[in-house]
Amino acid sequence: MSKLPFFTYLAVMAGVTYLVRMLPLVLVKKKIQNRFLLSFLYYIPYAVLSVMTIPAIFYATDYRLSAVIGCVVALILSFIEQSLIKVAAAACAAAFLTEAVLRYVI
C-alpha cells in the first residue's frame, strides 16, 4: 500500500492548520476595539464546542431516551453551577442507569 496519499493529506492538514493560526497574527497588528467582533470571538469556541458535542450525545447510546436523560441531568447540574467532573459523572451515570433499566423493560 502506498503511503503517498497519507503524507499528502498530512501536509495539507498541517498547512491549513498553520495558516489558520498564523494569518490572524500577521493580518491584525493592533488591538481589536470593535465590541461586536470581540464578543463574537469570545463566544465562538463555546458555539463550536456545542455544535460538535450536542449531536454526538444523542447517538452515543443504544436508546435515545437514555441520551436525553443524561443530557437533561447535565444541563440541570450545569445550570446550578456544579463542577465539570460532577456534571460529566452524573450525566454518564444517569445515561448508564437508564440504559440498564431500558434493557430489562424493552
Side-chain angles (χ1 to χ4, degrees):
M1 183 170 148
S2 175
K3 294 182 181 178
L4 182 63
F6 171 76
F7 288 112
T8 304
Y9 298 146
L10 184 65
V12 169
M13 181 193 65
V16 169
T17 302
Y18 178 73
L19 284 174
V20 167
R21 293 173 185 261
M22 182 264 311
L23 282 177
L25 295 174
V26 171
L27 298 177
V28 180
K29 300 287 185 187
K30 297 185 286 185
K31 184 177 178 186
I32 299 172
Q33 300 291 332
N34 187 337
R35 289 177 60 190
F36 175 77
L37 187 57
L38 285 173
S39 176
F40 177 77
L41 292 173
Y42 179 80
Y43 287 110
I44 278 292
Y46 301 109
V48 170
L49 184 63
S50 298
V51 166
M52 291 170 51
T53 305
I54 297 295
I57 289 171
F58 297 110
Y59 295 105
T61 61
D62 289 338
Y63 299 102
R64 188 72 49 99
L65 180 62
S66 62
V68 170
I69 289 175
C71 184
V72 168
V73 167
L75 287 173
I76 290 170
L77 290 177
S78 64
F79 277 126
I80 58 174
E81 297 182 358
Q82 295 297 312
S83 70
L84 180 60
I85 297 297
K86 288 180 185 176
V87 171
C92 289
F96 177 76
L97 292 174
T98 305
E99 186 108 358
V101 169
L102 286 175
R103 286 186 191 268
Y104 289 110
V105 172
I106 295 178

